[in-house]
Amino acid sequence: MHGPGGPGGPGGPGGPWHGDDSRGYFHGAPWGDGPGPWGAGAPPRPNWGRPLPPPGGRWNDGPINYYGYNENPTWNPGFNQWGFDFFGVWIPL
């Protein structure tokens, strides 16, 4: 596994992450359209170590705090995974 922007990562080999058609960009975020609060690179996964509901199930664990923002995960059939939209970018769990 490689770090954000590393080989095979969303930014390509060694390049900075700029989003893509499937993950989006940070338009309208409080910090502007630049890098997220974690710095340059793809957004990291949330620190979630508990079991997830079944696909298409119901989320009953309340919001997840992600860099100071409370986000309620949903099932996304397009990505076939649990996660949330963070200023237009899909963040998987």
Side-chain angles (χ1 to χ4, degrees), residues 16-47:
W17 183 81
H18 295 290
D20 60 9
D21 290 340
S22 65
R23 292 181 64 106
Y25 298 88
F26 293 109
H27 296 299
W31 59 84
D33 289 341
W38 51 85
R45 286 184 177 250
N47 185 13

Side-chain angles (χ1 to χ4, degrees), residues 16 30 34 42 53 55 70-71 80 84-85:
N70 287 328
E71 301 291 338
N80 197 33
F84 51 89
D85 284 311

Side-chain angles (χ1 to χ4, degrees), residues 8-92:
W17 183 81
H18 295 290
D20 60 9
D21 290 340
S22 65
R23 292 181 64 106
Y25 298 88
F26 293 109
H27 296 299
W31 59 84
D33 289 341
W38 51 85
R45 286 184 177 250
N47 185 13
W48 184 259
R50 300 189 330 219
L52 296 171
R58 184 177 169 146
W59 185 265
N60 291 320
D61 289 321
I64 292 175
N65 187 296
Y66 188 72
Y67 286 92
Y69 297 90
N70 287 328
E71 301 291 338
N72 287 305
T74 58
W75 174 254
N76 185 318
F79 286 107
N80 197 33
Q81 62 189 186
W82 283 94
F84 51 89
D85 284 311
F86 190 65
F87 297 101
V89 176
W90 179 251
I91 308 293

